[in-house]
Amino acid sequence: MELMSPIDSIFLLGEANTRPMHFATLELFEPPRDAGPDFVTRLHRKLLDDTEIHRTFRRHPVHAFLADKVGWVTAAEIELAYHVRRRTLSGPGDNYELLELVSDLQSVLLDRSRPLWRMYLIDGLDDGRFAVYTKWHHAAFDGISAQRSITRTLSPDPACPDVHGWWHPRDERRGKTASAGRTSASLRQKLSAALQFAPSLTAVVAEALWKNTTPLPFSAPHTMFNVPVHGARQCAARSWPLARMTPIRQATGCTVNDILVAMIGGALHHYLIGRDALPDRPLIAMVPISLRDRKGTDTGGNRVAAALCGIGTDVADPAERLAGIAASMRRAKELHSALTATQSMTFSALMLSPLALTVLPISAPAVSTAPVNIVISNVPGPARALYWEGAKLAANYPMSIVLDGLALNFTISSNIDAIDFGIVACRDSVPDLDLIVDYLEKSLAELESATAVGSVTAPRS
Amino acid sequence: MELMSPIDSIFLLGEANTRPMHFATLELFEPPRDAGPDFVTRLHRKLLDDTEIHRTFRRHPVHAFLADKVGWVTAAEIELAYHVRRRTLSGPGDNYELLELVSDLQSVLLDRSRPLWRMYLIDGLDDGRFAVYTKWHHAAFDGISAQRSITRTLSPDPACPDVHGWWHPRDERRGKTASAGRTSASLRQKLSAALQFAPSLTAVVAEALWKNTTPLPFSAPHTMFNVPVHGARQCAARSWPLARMTPIRQATGCTVNDILVAMIGGALHHYLIGRDALPDRPLIAMVPISLRDRKGTDTGGNRVAAALCGIGTDVADPAERLAGIAASMRRAKELHSALTATQSMTFSALMLSPLALTVLPISAPAVSTAPVNIVISNVPGPARALYWEGAKLAANYPMSIVLDGLALNFTISSNIDAIDFGIVACRDSVPDLDLIVDYLEKSLAELESATAVGSVTAPRS
């Protein structure tokens, strides 16, 4: 048995049936032209034969005899057929049916007596594509290690017949030796080191986050999204072409990330008005941002910080909302530049994960003063087309974690020239999630109109 | 809010992710001859339109402010599309694939913020049948109320087009008014009344079960089935014609129930030998038995008692094993005849449920001395053919609850002239569950041979 880092064990100790601590990836693939009707069947069979399994995918937790201590054991073998399942939609095979299945799967805890991941190959979509939904427990994986497992498994060559599962140990492209959880481990090790200097996790977060980094501590209004959550989830997914952001970016000087946050601010403005639940004060989002574009003093590679950003839900004008968000994000970046290396490093890991939120003083049922209303993460995806046994990765939706006090999560990824939104909500607390998706489109169209590059099909309302 | 009875709340308070407290029913239906390919689609749509919902199917639990107190609230509306799902097998559509899906569904807790049941219509079986898998939480339903909901919904008339869900409130056949949980409620009320005279649940069980009822208290050997359980389940199902029991019954004077217990004793004999894990002493089963066939002094209608029965796993000879089981069962019935009315009534409810076991001194990880090794329940099913929108009920498998210390459960039902075995196991603790199913057949064939009415295709081994 290997003792688990405090960071990883928090995801297990804090987990409950209403608070699963796994995130997921939902990928859509376009089968190659010559794919027969049994393409997914053959792919599934090939994956089940891929029984060489990296130890990261064979580890499962055990409770040590001392309370609150959790360790890892590495199983010699695992039941691959349990971890790699197939599902077929019953019909009509539309987006709604796919996302209802994904919502059911997202609601369910992983079994701790087995390695903390499961993958589902899903066919029966009416457009001929197939989906791969993978659950990754946050105690064993983080978004970056999951994304790297996926990217490393796929190939830029559509003719590459080399199908492997995420779990297959393989050399890094360009010939380097790598292990599946390598980046992650290194990130986690750094965080553990940083935490040794701190009296407690809470103190680190309070010190670094609330004192130094933001003009808006605890000014978030209470909203319908800041309630204790129930067990059932609802997932939504939608893609937008990156090309629609470009003219807005050029017209305003804002970043693409600013525009994505503004899309969400606008969508929630409309949604909350529709439910007669819009607060006077703006909703506050926690937005992990990269600090890498600063002058090259940080060689560590993991300079990520949390911007706390008012997302302008109180502002009716889309252009004014975007400008406010861009200013807020710039201010956050400036503040983060002043952080010490240790503070920044602590952030690096904390802000990549919902861990930061689990140690914040949010606890059900006392969620009357939420420090933030919502988390908006943006995890970069592949920049070029990737293939799996000739099937092209067409979309790549991250599905993140919902917590008590944070019943709605937006996580955004990208795939070549598309922006892919993955949205997860507590099914009871956030009704009509599809409306929010529609309002994202409406909000983008409003930004297009407002910056005078507008889509004529989507008038301002 | 309505306070929950102590009995019902134990199923919620004792529940954990590794110990879901729902049981399930898995029914197989043969569609009518004129059923089109979209029969299940239409059935699903009809069910979703059946929005008149009995309050038993709208109740969900809430925690009261006082610890350990749980109440019921009745929702005005429920999201029927969440509770009534469709699944389609991907192929090959065999029994294995169906039961792997069922195993996944059986492993997952019900969401307590919603009414504690879910139903899955499953098509894609290669024999053209379709399955209905329903989860019923034991806090809200017991096996009898579930069985009655099902039976009342189906019709003996194949032409009856009157499709309803289990949840639909309706008059009892023969014109009486009934409510879905009626039998159950009455049984539970009786138990609550009985318990008011007892110092504690544990004391009642100890007094009635261990002192008065059995020659075998705590003599059960430790076996591989008596371990703390993990979260994943494996389910198995198989039917045998009742006609195969009849000659054995006639040759030996044993009851059908004795023969079913002997089938299991023989199967576990072979299975444990194969794993080099057969104890010297016989495994002890808890077998709920009906006392109704006694002379008519008990008008209450719920005279059920627990026989603790050595199932002859230490005996190599099938006829000797059966004779021992029959004698043990007879002795248990005689002992129960001497119980007071209160004791018997307490048993009535306790033994219908795994509750008895949750209050027994079994607790992980201290399961070194198991009071019983296994639970074998036999719940009578319909005696005549029943139809649902013209589809014939072809089989009716109960899938019960696995507990810490009881990693394997056999629950048996019947359908006209077939005996349907539903078997649920902790997936990690009981490998090769299919072997046990094969050994049930082998064990029955051995009984046939031994009682000289034998099947020539299954020689004794």
Side-chain angles (χ1 to χ4, degrees), chain B residues 245-256 258-259 318-320 322-323 326 330 447 450-453:
Chain B
M245 319 293 153
T246 312
I248 303 170
R249 188 170 57 74
Q250 287 167 342
T252 60
C254 298
T255 68
V256 169
D258 295 339
I259 298 167
E320 190 185 327
L322 175 59
R330 258 195 311 276
L447 284 166
T451 52
V453 293

Side-chain angles (χ1 to χ4, degrees), chain A residues 287-344:
Chain A
V287 187
I289 47 173
S290 170
L291 300 178
R292 281 200 183 173
D293 51 357
R294 291 190 306 154
K295 285 155 215 98
T297 47
D298 51 319
T299 52
N302 290 306
R303 297 294 301 237
V304 180
L308 288 206
C309 176
I311 59 172
T313 43
D314 57 329
V315 176
D317 182 75
E320 189 186 329
R321 186 185 302 127
L322 175 59
I325 287 168
S328 181
M329 296 293 283
R330 257 195 311 276
R331 202 160 53 237
K333 285 188 193 178
E334 286 162 12
L335 283 162
H336 276 283
S337 309
L339 286 183
T340 67
T342 302
Q343 285 169 327
S344 180

Side-chain angles (χ1 to χ4, degrees), chain A residues 79 85 88 90 114 427-428, chain B residues 79 88 90 114 427-428:
Chain A
E79 186 191 0
R85 291 294 206 194
T88 295
S90 300
R114 292 164 179 264
R427 195 176 183 97
D428 294 317
Chain B
E79 186 190 1
T88 295
S90 301
R114 293 165 180 263
R427 194 176 185 99
D428 295 316

Side-chain angles (χ1 to χ4, degrees), chain B residues 35-286:
Chain B
D38 63 342
F39 184 80
V40 175
T41 303
R42 283 187 293 114
L43 188 60
H44 185 218
R45 209 172 299 136
K46 263 186 130 167
L47 287 170
L48 294 183
D49 288 339
D50 189 15
T51 53
E52 201 182 333
I53 299 168
H54 188 277
R55 68 179 283 282
T56 303
F57 289 84
R58 279 187 284 122
R59 287 190 311 171
H60 65 86
V62 282
H63 271 273
F65 288 106
L66 298 170
D68 287 4
K69 291 279 181 204
V70 188
W72 289 115
V73 288
T74 304
E77 287 183 49
I78 72 166
E79 186 190 1
L80 206 51
Y82 173 86
H83 290 274
V84 185
R85 291 294 206 193
R86 247 193 101 184
R87 292 288 182 266
T88 295
L89 300 182
S90 301
D94 53 12
N95 208 32
Y96 174 81
E97 192 189 1
L98 173 65
L99 286 163
E100 281 292 88
L101 175 59
V102 164
S103 299
D104 274 3
L105 298 173
Q106 184 84 359
S107 307
V108 174
L109 291 182
L110 287 161
D111 179 5
R112 295 185 182 193
S113 66
R114 293 165 180 263
L116 294 171
W117 63 278
R118 275 186 112 175
M119 176 195 224
Y120 297 82
L121 295 176
I122 305 168
D123 61 0
L125 277 77
D126 55 5
D127 59 9
R129 299 190 295 184
F130 67 94
V132 178
Y133 169 82
T134 309
K135 287 166 76 159
W136 315 76
H137 199 286
H138 221 309
F141 305 94
D142 62 28
I144 288 183
S145 57
Q147 190 61 50
R148 285 176 69 100
S149 293
I150 290 173
T151 309
R152 220 178 37 244
T153 303
L154 306 182
S155 165
D157 175 9
C160 173
D162 186 24
V163 167
H164 284 292
W166 313 149
W167 55 88
H168 190 83
R170 51 158 65 185
D171 287 351
E172 194 88 292
R173 305 202 177 278
R174 305 182 200 285
K176 288 179 197 162
T177 309
S179 70
R182 192 156 153 263
T183 306
S184 159
S186 137
L187 188 58
R188 284 155 191 276
Q189 279 158 14
K190 280 190 204 159
L191 176 61
S192 290
L195 290 176
Q196 285 170 2
F197 299 102
S200 77
L201 274 177
T202 312
V204 168
V205 174
E207 167 74 19
L209 183 58
W210 308 125
K211 290 192 191 160
N212 292 319
T213 63
T214 167
L216 295 158
F218 289 95
S219 63
H222 181 72
T223 75
M224 60 183 287
F225 307 127
N226 307 112
V227 293
V229 294
H230 295 160
R233 296 286 170 269
Q234 185 133 25
C235 299
R238 183 145 166 197
S239 301
W240 281 269
L242 183 60
R244 286 183 67 184
M245 319 293 153
T246 312
I248 303 170
R249 188 170 57 74
Q250 287 167 342
T252 60
C254 298
T255 68
V256 169
N257 201 52
D258 295 339
I259 298 167
L260 301 178
V261 173
M263 279 174 72
I264 294 169
L268 296 184
H269 169 82
H270 293 304
Y271 178 81
L272 289 169
I273 283 181
R275 303 191 69 86
D276 202 15
L278 183 70
D280 293 337
R281 283 176 292 153
L283 270 63
I284 308 297
M286 177 185 282

Side-chain angles (χ1 to χ4, degrees), chain B residues 240-244 382-385 392 394 414-420:
Chain B
W240 281 269
L242 183 60
R244 286 183 67 184
R384 57 179 175 173
K392 184 181 176 189
S414 56
N415 184 35
I416 322 171
D417 49 9
I419 303 286
D420 298 333

Side-chain angles (χ1 to χ4, degrees), chain B residues 284-354:
Chain B
I284 308 297
M286 177 185 282
V287 187
I289 47 174
S290 171
L291 299 177
R292 282 201 182 174
D293 52 357
R294 290 190 306 155
K295 285 154 215 100
T297 48
D298 51 319
T299 52
N302 290 306
R303 297 294 301 237
V304 180
L308 287 206
C309 177
I311 59 172
T313 42
D314 57 330
V315 176
D317 182 74
E320 190 185 327
R321 187 184 301 127
L322 175 59
I325 287 168
S328 182
M329 296 293 285
R330 258 195 311 276
R331 203 159 52 237
K333 286 188 192 177
E334 286 162 15
L335 283 162
H336 276 283
S337 309
L339 287 182
T340 67
T342 302
Q343 285 169 328
S344 180
M345 206 156 66
T346 305
F347 267 127
S348 301
L350 283 179
M351 293 312 137
L352 283 177
S353 76

Side-chain angles (χ1 to χ4, degrees), chain A residues 108-144:
Chain A
V108 173
L109 290 182
L110 287 160
D111 178 6
R112 295 185 183 193
S113 66
R114 292 164 179 264
L116 294 170
W117 62 278
R118 275 187 112 175
M119 177 195 222
Y120 297 82
L121 295 176
I122 306 169
D123 61 0
L125 277 78
D126 55 6
D127 58 9
R129 299 190 296 183
F130 67 94
V132 178
Y133 169 82
T134 309
K135 287 165 76 157
W136 316 77
H137 199 287
H138 221 310
F141 305 94
D142 62 28
I144 287 183

